[in-house]
Amino acid sequence: MIKVENTIYIKAKRDRVFSVVSDFEAWPEFIPTYKEVKVIERKGDKIVIERKGSVGGREVLWKSEAELFPSERISSRQVIGPIPDMEIEWLFEDAGEGTRIRLIHSFSYKKPLLIGWVIGRLIVKNVVKGMAQKTLEAIKKKCIVKSEK
């Protein structure tokens, strides 16, 4: 199992940060990776999200099942996409005058043993880490702009 963790501090209250993150359909407005995001099913705090975007110049479709735990965490699993069964945890923690987000991706890269290990560890892990960091930075920028209004 490969685990990638990204962290960011945002000087905004936890409920505000959670609100920005969980407004998935607004992501294309401020996260360049995503061209379109739709919530295609909602049952209480359980949702199914479909995202279209671009990774390394290639069009990608993701579909995830997620459960929201308001202002605390979002747990999801990718069911369609480049890495099926990837698990994603968004953890929202009070940190001084703001909020710390811990974004954790856990996945297996199911290719032949040696090739899968090399590709998973050296390439895919770095791509996931880089995309996650850019997503967190875009969320931070959006939260700061939103809190200034």
Side-chain angles (χ1 to χ4, degrees), residues 6-61:
N6 293 67
T7 304
I8 199 162
Y9 171 81
I10 302 172
K11 193 170 182 177
K13 293 185 186 252
R14 191 164 37 145
D15 58 343
R16 179 183 300 280
V17 174
F18 185 89
S19 175
V20 168
V21 172
S22 62
D23 186 5
F24 302 105
E25 292 174 315
W27 282 17
E29 297 170 16
F30 63 95
I31 303 174
T33 302
Y34 301 105
K35 305 303 175 213
E36 182 181 351
V37 179
K38 290 190 248 181
V39 174
I40 56 175
E41 186 178 321
R42 184 181 300 269
K43 291 181 182 172
D45 286 331
K46 293 184 180 185
I47 59 175
V48 177
I49 308 159
E50 187 175 88
R51 301 176 311 279
K52 294 178 184 174
S54 166
V55 178
R58 294 177 56 195
E59 295 228 353
V60 179
L61 172 70

Side-chain angles (χ1 to χ4, degrees), residues 18 67-75 89-92:
F18 185 89
E67 186 168 5
L68 308 176
F69 300 86
S71 297
E72 291 181 22
R73 70 184 163 96
I74 300 170
S75 298
E89 286 286 323
W90 295 80
L91 304 171
F92 302 86

Side-chain angles (χ1 to χ4, degrees), residues 73-84:
R73 70 184 163 96
I74 300 170
S75 298
S76 67
R77 184 176 67 85
Q78 187 172 250
V79 293
I80 295 174
I83 309 172

Side-chain angles (χ1 to χ4, degrees), residues 60-124:
V60 179
L61 172 70
W62 298 270
K63 186 175 181 182
S64 300
E65 299 170 339
E67 186 168 5
L68 308 176
F69 300 86
S71 297
E72 291 181 22
R73 70 184 163 96
I74 300 170
S75 298
S76 67
R77 184 176 67 85
Q78 187 172 250
V79 293
I80 295 174
I83 309 172
D85 296 323
M86 176 188 285
E87 294 181 9
I88 302 117
E89 286 286 323
W90 295 80
L91 304 171
F92 302 86
E93 305 163 345
D94 290 329
E97 295 181 19
T99 303
R100 178 178 298 107
I101 300 176
R102 290 178 42 224
L103 178 53
I104 304 163
H105 293 78
S106 303
F107 59 95
S108 295
Y109 198 74
K110 298 174 180 157
K111 296 285 182 190
L113 189 58
L114 181 59
I115 295 169
W117 187 90
V118 171
I119 292 172
R121 295 272 174 201
L122 301 180
I123 299 171
V124 176

